[in-house]
Structure formats: C-alpha cells, structure tokens
Amino acid sequence: MKTLTIKVPDALFAEISGAAKARNVPKSEIVRERLVREQTTSKRASLWSGMEDLIIEADALPTDLSSNRKHLKGYGKNRPHR
C-alpha cells in the first residue's frame, strides 16, 4: 500500500479524528472508507444530479434574454483587464 500525505482543514481533521477515536481505528482507515464511499456514490449519481444546484429554471429567465441588449448592460465590467 502506498502512502499519501495531504493537508486538510482543522474542522475536517477534528471530524476524522473523532470518528477514528470513537471506533478505535486509525485515522487512515476513516479516510480510506470515505474515499471509497465517495467513489461508489459518484459512480451512481447522474450528471444531472451532480449539476442540479447550477441549473436555472427556464421560468426564472426573461423571455427576451438573447435578443434584448439591455440584458448585456454591464456585462464584463467586473472582469479585470488583461
């Protein structure tokens, strides 16, 4: 088995440490279980379910979004110049 060293936020480390201490197993066992669980969960999830929070309902958009220039007012203004 190979070794991998990673940095995690303090909150995640505390969560992993607590779970390991409660089950009396090494922290690495908890991390391996979570990685495997995430991998199997993501294989079953569809692309749609993974992007569902990014989808805008068509009813929420103006009907003339592509043809009315007023919707482009200010477009690109917050982008830094290159």
Side-chain angles (χ1 to χ4, degrees):
M1 194 174 294
K2 300 285 185 181
T3 300
L4 174 67
T5 303
I6 61 168
K7 295 180 181 183
V8 296
D10 292 340
L12 181 57
F13 182 80
E15 184 182 330
I16 292 169
S17 294
K21 200 173 281 188
R23 292 177 42 197
N24 199 26
V25 295
K27 290 184 280 290
S28 59
E29 180 68 25
I30 301 296
V31 173
R32 278 192 296 272
E33 287 175 1
R34 289 186 181 194
L35 287 172
V36 168
R37 181 176 57 194
E38 180 65 30
Q39 185 180 14
T40 58
T41 304
S42 64
K43 284 183 180 178
R44 286 183 281 171
S46 67
L47 178 61
W48 176 259
S49 65
M51 296 176 53
E52 207 166 5
D53 60 328
L54 303 174
I55 305 299
I56 299 172
E57 294 296 325
D59 300 342
L61 298 174
T63 56
D64 62 345
L65 183 61
S66 64
S67 60
N68 193 338
R69 295 180 70 80
K70 77 174 185 174
H71 298 298
L72 294 174
K73 185 176 182 180
Y75 179 76
K77 296 288 184 189
N78 59 351
R79 269 182 90 178
H81 294 286
R82 297 179 204 197

